[in-house]
Amino acid sequence: MIAVTTLFLFIGGTAFYVYDSVRGRSFEAARVDATDIRLTAPAPGTAWNRGSEVVIQWNAVSTNPGATPTVSINLKQESGEVEYLLAEGPYPSSFAWMVGEFPGMASLFDIPDGAYIIEVCSSRQAVCDRSPSPVTVVTPEVIAIPWGAPGDEPLPADYNGDGKADLATWSTQQELLSILYLGYRENRPTATATAEDYNGDGSTEVATWNNTTRTITIPGFSPIPLNTHAPAGTYVLTPADYDGDGATNPAIWGMPAAGGNPLWYIYTKSLER
C-alpha cells in the first residue's frame, strides 16, 4: 500500500507545524530557506496517467548547511488561472505524488485533465524553478490504482458525501480501514465492517460488528447492542434499507451457537448521537 501523507500547516512565529495524516500527529518544523532550486524531474512533455505514482525531483542549496530546506511543490495550469499546492514541508529532494490526489479535495478526479507547469519554491518564495514545458495529466480508459494490501477486502463508498465513490480497503488482520482520499487511515476494534449511508444524509458511515460483544458501532452515534436480542453465535453484517426510508438499517445475519436456523436481526430505529 502506498503511504499517502497529507500535510496541513499551522503557522506560529518563526516555525510552522505539520500535521501528518498517516501517523496522526503534529510536529514542529523550523523553516529553512534555500538560495537555489533546480528542478530535475519530470522530463519536459511527460504525460502522467491519473492514479499512477510519479516522482517530482529537484536540487536545492540550503541556507543552513546540513539542514533540509522547506519547499512548496505546486501544480499550475498552463494558462496560470488555477494553481494546486500539492505539498509544503522539509522535503530533501523529491516528492512522490499519486496523480490526481490533492489535499483539500476528496477524489482522484477533482484535478482535471490538461497541461500543467510544475513549480518548486523555497519557503519564502524567494527562489523557484519551473518545468520548461508542461506535463500532461491524462485519464486513461482504465485506471490502475495501487491501493490495498494482500488479504484486504474492498470497501468502496462515498465517505464524504461529494457524490463520488472513494477507494477504501478493510484489513481484517490489522483491523484497519484505509481510504484513499487524503491518505486517511482509521483503526477500528472489530473483525468486520461495512460502508453504508446509515442516517440518510448522503454520506457514508462505516459500521463495525464485534461478534464477541454482539454490538454494532457507527462512529458519531451511540453503539447498537444486540446481545439482548441475538444469542451467542456467528454473525455477519447485512445492512440494507429494509424499511424504504432512504437510510440503511444496521442488521446482522448468522447462526446461533445453539443451532437451529439462521436468523436475521434488523435495527429499525433512527440512529442516536
Side-chain angles (χ1 to χ4, degrees):
M1 179 180 294
I2 295 175
V4 181
T5 301
T6 304
L7 302 178
F8 299 93
L9 305 182
F10 306 90
I11 308 299
T14 58
F16 67 98
Y17 299 85
V18 179
Y19 177 73
D20 185 327
S21 66
V22 172
R23 297 174 179 83
R25 61 182 178 85
S26 298
F27 59 92
E28 182 177 342
R31 286 187 177 275
V32 177
D33 212 350
T35 59
D36 186 57
I37 292 177
R38 290 289 182 267
L39 192 66
T40 59
T46 300
W48 286 344
N49 284 336
R50 189 178 304 277
S52 63
E53 187 181 48
V54 298
V55 178
I56 301 169
Q57 296 178 307
W58 61 91
N59 294 322
V61 178
S62 173
T63 56
N64 184 359
T68 300
T70 300
V71 298
S72 61
I73 301 100
N74 304 284
L75 186 72
K76 296 184 175 183
Q77 281 189 341
E78 192 175 15
S79 63
E81 296 178 357
V82 180
E83 176 177 342
Y84 302 99
L85 174 62
L86 299 182
E88 183 177 17
Y91 292 93
S93 59
S94 65
F95 172 72
W97 182 50
M98 181 175 287
V99 178
E101 195 259 348
F102 175 62
M105 293 182 176
S107 170
L108 283 175
F109 296 90
D110 284 328
I111 293 180
D113 286 0
Y116 294 90
I117 297 295
I118 304 297
E119 184 178 75
V120 179
C121 295
S122 65
S123 64
R124 295 178 177 84
Q125 305 292 311
V127 292
C128 296
D129 195 25
R130 296 159 55 96
S131 53
S133 61
V135 298
T136 305
V137 173
V138 179
T139 300
E141 182 179 11
V142 177
I143 300 177
I145 302 174
W147 192 256
D152 284 0
E153 298 177 3
L155 204 64
D158 181 9
Y159 287 91
N160 63 338
D162 69 346
K164 301 174 184 176
D166 306 300
L167 301 186
T169 57
W170 176 261
S171 171
T172 57
Q173 293 182 342
Q174 300 180 31
E175 299 176 356
L176 180 71
L177 175 68
S178 299
I179 304 173
L180 177 57
Y181 74 86
L182 301 187
Y184 173 84
R185 308 284 195 278
E186 183 168 343
N187 288 308
R188 298 288 174 81
T190 186
T192 61
T194 60
E196 301 284 345
D197 181 7
Y198 287 94
N199 62 344
D201 66 351
S203 62
T204 299
E205 296 81 36
V206 176
T208 55
W209 166 250
N210 190 311
N211 203 68
T212 301
T213 62
R214 302 196 295 287
T215 301
I216 296 175
T217 302
I218 302 174
F221 299 94
S222 300
I224 304 172
L226 297 179
N227 57 316
T228 58
H229 304 280
T234 302
Y235 303 91
V236 295
L237 284 166
T238 54
D241 183 6
Y242 291 96
D243 53 15
D245 65 354
T248 297
N249 301 99
I252 59 172
W253 174 89
M255 178 70 72
N261 293 322
L263 295 170
W264 296 78
Y265 294 93
I266 302 170
Y267 188 75
T268 60
K269 293 184 178 180
S270 298
L271 300 181
E272 298 180 355
R273 294 189 182 274

